[in-house]
Amino acid sequence: MSPASPAVGTDPTSEDASPASGQPSPSMPAKGHRSLGNVLERYGLLLLLLAVAVFFSASPVSGPAFRSSANWLTLTANQAVTFAVALALLFPLAAGFFDFSVGAVAATSSVVAAAAMSHHALPLGVAIALALLTGLTIGLFQGVLVAHLRMNPFIATLGTATLLGGAIFAYTGGLQITQGISPALTSAGSGLWAGLPAIVVVVALLALVVWFVLDQTVFGRRLFAIGSNVNAARLIGVDVARTQLLAFAASGLVGAAAGVLLLARQGAATSDNGMTMLFPALTAVLLSTIVIDVGRPSVQGTAIGVVFVAVSTSGLTLIGSPAWVSSVFTGAALLVAVAVASLGRLRKGR
Amino acid sequence: MSDTGPALRLRGISKSFDGVRVLRGVDVSITRGTVHALLGGNGSGKSTTLKVVAGVYRGDPGGVVEVFGTPHPADSFSPQQAHRAGLRFVHQDLGLVDDLSVAANFGLVSGFPQRLGAVRWRALHERTARELAAAGLDIAPQAPVRALRPSDRTRVAIARALQDDDGGHPLVLVLDEPTASLPHHEVDELLEELRRRREQGHTIVYVSHRIPEVLAVADDLTVLRDGVVAYSGPVSGLTEDHVIAMMTGLAAEQAAPAARTPRAPTTAAPLLRVSGLCTAGLGPLDLEVRPGEVVGVAGLLGSGRSRLLGLLAGQVPRTSGSVQLAGREIHHRSPRAALADGVACVPEDRARDAAFPDRPLWENVSAIAFPRYARWWGADRRAERRDAVKAAAGFAVHAAHGEVPFASLSGGNQQKAVLARATWTSPRLLLLDEPSQGVDAMARRDIHSFIHRHVDGHDRAALVVSSDFVELAALCDRVLVLRDGRLRAELTGAELHESAIALAVHQDREDPR
C-alpha cells in the first residue's frame, strides 16, 4: 500500500496557521468529554454481557454448571468458528457491503482441505494451503464481479453462495468426508494449549491480524472511507475498485481459514452449504456496530457479540428453557440493540 | 382567525440540543402581506428557527408559534398543524421529482384525481394547468421537471406549495435559500415572483445568504446571531454594511471581503501550462497559470467550467492535449494520481463528494494526509488527531472539539474543514469548484483569505470556478471566461469587475475579441 499523499509537502502545523480574519484561532480540544451516557452507549452491550453472565452464574439452577471451566472451554471453542466467519464478513462490511458467501466459502474450503487429505492423500500443510487458495480465488472472483463489473454485491455474493452450495453437494453427494483427516488437525480442534482450547488461541491470533489490518493500516482506513462515502473516498485518492477487490479477497481468505478451523473442530468436512454458519456470524457483526464506535463494525465488538449470544444461549439451555427460547432471545437482543442505537442517533438529530 | 395583526409571530422560542441552547428566546413578528427576510451566519440559529416553525423540531417548553392570531405551543407543534395553520414551506432542494412531469409533482402533494383506482391524468393536467397559469408560468403540465430551468423549478415548487389555496385565504410561504442554486440572471425572475405573491396577499418569509438580494426584495428583516434576535425591523435605510455588522457583531469594514491587491504580471515560468486540451464538451483549450496566481473560471452551466476542473483533478479523462505542471508533463487518470502530483480539489457538492458525514471532524480533515501517520506498529492516531485539530483551527473551523461528527457542523465550517483537508499536503495546484456556495459572509471571507494564504509567496496557484461574479472579482487575479467549451475572454486589472464578467459570460456566440 503506497500512501496517496504527494511527495512534496509540509506539516500543516508549521504553516502560518492563524486565520486571516483577525479572530483568535479557536482553541479546540482534540477529544470531547466522555459523559456517562456516552460510555453506556459505547459499552452497553459489554455491560449487558456481564450482567447476563453474572445472572446465570448466580442462578441456583444454572449456576454450578454455568460456572464450571468445562462449560467455558466448550462454549468458547464452539464459538471459535462462528467468530472466524464473522471476521471474514468485516472486510466487505467496512466498505459498506454484506457478503452473503462467507459461510459457503468456509464450507467449500473445509471440503477442499478434507478432500485433499482424504481423496488425494496430500499432507496437512498442502491441504490447508489449497483450502486458503480456494477461498482467496472465490474472494477475488466476487471482487471482480462487484468492483470491476459493478454488480450489486447482494446478488453477486448470494449467487456465489448458492453456486458453491450446489458444487459442494455435487462433489460430496451429500455425505460428510470423515476418513483420512489428519489427526494433527483434529486434535488441534479439540485440544488445549496452555489450558485454553487450541482453536480459540488460533482464532484470537487471526482476530488480532484482522484488527490490525482494519484498524491500523492505510488499507483499513480506505475501506471504511469507501463505506462512509464512496465518491469522497475516490476524491481523497482511494483506488476504489482495487480496494473493494482486496476487501473481497481478504474476506475469501479469512473465510477459508474459518473453513479449516471448522474441519479441525468437527473432524469431518460438512456437506452443508454453509448458510447455517452465516446467520450467527451476521448477528455478531451487526451487534458489533452498536459497540465502541457506534455505527461501524469492529473486531472487538464482534467478539463481544459472539460471546454475548453464546453465553445467553448456554445459560438459557442450562436453566432448562426449551430450544426455541435462545433463538427468540438472540433475535430480540439484536432488534433491541439496533433499535437503541438508532434511537440514540435520532435523538441527537432532533 | 382575526383579520388583522401579524401573520406569524414567534414568542420566546428556545431550542436546546443535549443541554446546549441554540436558540435563546427568539421573538419575531411578521406583518401580513410583507416579504420578511431572515438572515444570520452559519450557526446563528436560522435553520433551527425554521425547523421549529415547521414543526420538524420541538421547541423548548414555553415558546409560542402564533399563526394568524392562533397560538400554538412550540413544544408540541407538528408539521400537520403547521400546514393546517396556513404555513407552507419550500426547502432549498425544492422536493421536486426530476423524472416526473410537473403535473405528477403537483399530484404527489395534493393527491391524484382518480376514478375506479385509476389516475385521471386529464383532470390532473387541467388542474395543474390552471395553477400554472395563475402563477404566470408558461409551462406545460406534461413537461418533465428535469427539462425546466432552475428558476422555473423554484417557481413550480412555489406554485405547488400555494396550490388549491390560491385566491382563497392568504398563506405564509417560507422559502429557505431559494436563490442559492440559481444562476445570477435567473435570480431577478424569482424575486419578481416573490413580489407578485406578496401582491396576492400572501406573507413571505425568505431566508438567504445574499444580502443585496434581501435588501432589494424584503420589506422587513430579522437578523439572528448566536441564537438571539440581533435586529428585527424595516429594511428601508439599511445598507449591506449595516446588515453584515449586525450578522457578525463586527464593524462592517472588518467583515468586508478582503479585496485582492492586484499583482503585477509575473514573468515567472508558468506553473500550469495547458495546450490543445480536449474532452467531450470542452476544448481545444490553451491556458497558463503562473505561480502565486488565483485564476477564476467563469461560465454558464454547461460551458465546460466544472469539466475543466474535473479533468485537471483526474476525474474526467482527456481525449487529447497536454498538461504540464511545473514543466513536467502529467497524465492524470485518477484523483489519486492527481493528488500524487500535487493537484488537490475542493468539490462543488460537499455532501456528495467530500463529506464523511458520520466520521469525526479530525478524520475528515486528515482524510488525504492520513497515510503519513502509518507506522510499522500501526497508525499514530494521537498525532494525526492532534495535527488535524490544529489544521482545522488554522482554518477557523468552529467546533466544540475534534471528535464531533462532520455532519453536525454548519455548512461554512464543513467547507473550511474540506479546505483544510485539501491544502494539508501543500498541493501546488488547488482546484476549487464554487468554494463559498451556501456559506455565510464571514465564512466566505475566511475562505477567500485562506485561498490567498495558500498561494501567496509560494510556488503554488489556485483555479476557482464560481457562478458568483462578485466572488470571482474579489478573489481572483485574472478571470477566464468559458462558453461552449472554449475560452472566450480573459479579464484582468480594471476589467476584473462583476459586471464585466457577467457581460462576457452572457455574450452571444460571436467572439468579443
Side-chain angles (χ1 to χ4, degrees), chain B residues 241-258:
Chain B
D241 285 352
H242 290 134
V243 178
I244 292 178
M246 292 187 294
M247 281 169 66
T248 57
L250 298 172
E253 58 273 22
Q254 278 178 276

Side-chain angles (χ1 to χ4, degrees), chain A residues 29 215-216 221 228-229 237 350, chain B residues 56 336 355 358 379 381 384 402:
Chain A
D215 204 62
Q216 297 291 313
R221 178 79 172 266
S228 175
N229 181 346
R350 233 179 114 90
Chain B
V56 176
R336 185 186 174 85
D358 52 328
R381 211 153 281 167
E384 183 190 337

Side-chain angles (χ1 to χ4, degrees), chain A residues 1-34 42 211-212 214-222 224-239 242-243 293-296 347-350, chain B residues 15 17-18 55-58 315 335-336 339-342 345 347 351-359 361-363 366-368 370-374 376-379 381 384-385 387 389-394 396-403 421 424-426 428 442 445-446 449-450 453-454 458 460:
Chain A
M1 280 158 274
S2 65
S5 57
V8 288
T10 55
D11 182 5
T13 54
S14 69
E15 216 150 305
D16 40 338
S18 65
S21 52
Q23 302 168 302
S25 85
S27 66
M28 196 195 304
K31 294 172 84 163
H33 172 67
R34 286 269 147 78
R42 288 162 61 87
W211 168 79
F212 186 84
L214 283 179
D215 204 62
Q216 297 291 313
T217 65
V218 171
F219 169 70
R221 178 79 172 266
R222 290 192 175 136
F224 280 111
I226 293 174
S228 175
N229 181 346
V230 63
N231 289 322
R234 189 173 287 116
L235 291 189
I236 60 163
V238 175
D239 184 337
R242 196 181 70 176
T243 309
D293 202 341
V294 178
R296 122 187 309 209
R347 186 170 44 78
K348 269 187 210 154
R350 233 179 114 90
Chain B
K15 173 68 188 168
F17 292 100
D18 294 331
V56 176
Y57 285 167
R58 289 181 195 287
Q315 300 158 25
R336 185 186 174 85
L339 280 168
D341 279 329
C345 89
R352 195 189 66 195
D353 294 328
F356 296 107
D358 52 328
R359 304 308 303 160
L361 165 65
W362 69 267
E363 250 189 66
S366 58
I368 291 175
F370 76 91
R372 298 175 175 200
Y373 295 89
W376 63 267
W377 43 262
R381 211 153 281 167
E384 183 190 337
R385 181 169 53 213
D387 292 352
V389 166
K390 246 186 234 170
V397 177
H398 296 268
H401 53 81
E403 293 200 321
R421 171 203 293 179
W424 184 317
T425 52
S426 308
R428 277 177 293 188
M442 283 302 281
R445 208 192 50 140
D446 281 348
S449 69
F450 296 143
R453 186 179 78 193
H454 182 72
H458 294 278
R460 305 174 191 155

Side-chain angles (χ1 to χ4, degrees), chain B residues 109-398:
Chain B
V109 169
S110 61
F112 291 89
Q114 296 177 14
R115 183 188 292 137
L116 301 174
V119 174
R120 295 168 56 219
W121 287 104
R122 184 186 296 217
L124 179 65
H125 287 155
E126 281 165 5
R127 196 176 78 193
T128 309
R130 273 198 306 279
E131 300 286 353
L132 291 171
L137 279 165
D138 183 21
I139 293 171
Q142 295 88 344
V145 165
R146 187 179 293 291
L148 301 181
R149 296 188 314 149
S151 64
D152 284 343
R153 284 159 178 253
T154 310
R155 294 177 66 193
V156 163
I158 292 173
R160 183 175 73 164
L162 296 176
Q163 67 177 325
D164 301 333
D165 308 288
D166 233 356
H169 53 88
L171 299 165
V172 178
L173 176 65
V174 183
L175 296 152
D176 191 3
E177 300 206 35
T179 55
S181 57
L182 291 187
H184 240 254
H185 60 287
E186 292 187 26
V187 168
D188 289 342
E189 293 178 28
L190 187 74
L191 298 186
E192 195 46 48
E193 169 82 17
L194 297 187
R195 291 191 188 98
R196 234 173 42 79
R197 293 296 186 179
R198 178 183 59 191
E199 301 320 316
Q200 289 174 356
H202 296 300
T203 307
I204 291 156
V205 180
Y206 170 74
V207 178
S208 180
H209 277 315
R210 299 185 175 176
I211 301 165
E213 208 177 277
V214 165
L215 296 178
V217 75
D219 302 302
D220 297 317
L221 170 69
T222 295
V223 178
L224 286 178
R225 189 172 73 232
D226 298 331
V228 295
V229 174
Y231 174 84
S232 193
V235 162
S236 59
L238 292 180
T239 64
E240 190 168 349
D241 285 352
H242 290 134
V243 178
I244 292 178
M246 292 187 294
M247 281 169 66
T248 57
L250 298 172
E253 58 273 22
Q254 278 178 276
R260 179 79 161 152
T261 31
R263 52 182 51 246
T266 69
T267 49
L271 182 72
L272 175 76
R273 189 198 295 261
V274 171
S275 48
L277 190 63
C278 280
T279 189
L282 182 70
L285 205 65
D286 300 285
L287 64 94
E288 286 184 352
V289 177
R290 293 179 191 282
E293 267 194 317
V294 178
V295 176
V297 180
L300 298 176
L301 218 63
S303 61
R305 49 180 198 178
S306 293
R307 192 157 277 260
L308 171 63
L309 286 202
L311 212 148
L312 294 172
Q315 300 158 25
V316 177
R318 79 176 85 144
T319 49
S320 65
S322 114
V323 177
Q324 285 184 351
L325 189 65
R328 203 163 64 82
E329 183 70 28
I330 51 174
H331 301 273
H332 296 146
R333 295 203 173 82
S334 66
R336 185 186 174 85
L339 280 168
D341 279 329
V343 179
C345 89
V346 174
E348 176 183 9
D349 189 335
R350 195 169 49 235
R352 195 189 66 195
D353 294 328
F356 296 107
D358 52 328
R359 304 308 303 160
L361 165 65
W362 69 267
E363 250 189 66
N364 272 274
V365 171
S366 58
I368 291 175
F370 76 91
R372 298 175 175 200
Y373 295 89
R375 306 280 180 268
W376 63 267
W377 43 262
D380 190 352
R381 211 153 281 167
R382 182 188 292 267
E384 183 190 337
R385 181 169 53 213
R386 184 195 62 219
D387 292 352
V389 166
K390 246 186 234 170
F395 282 80
V397 177
H398 296 268

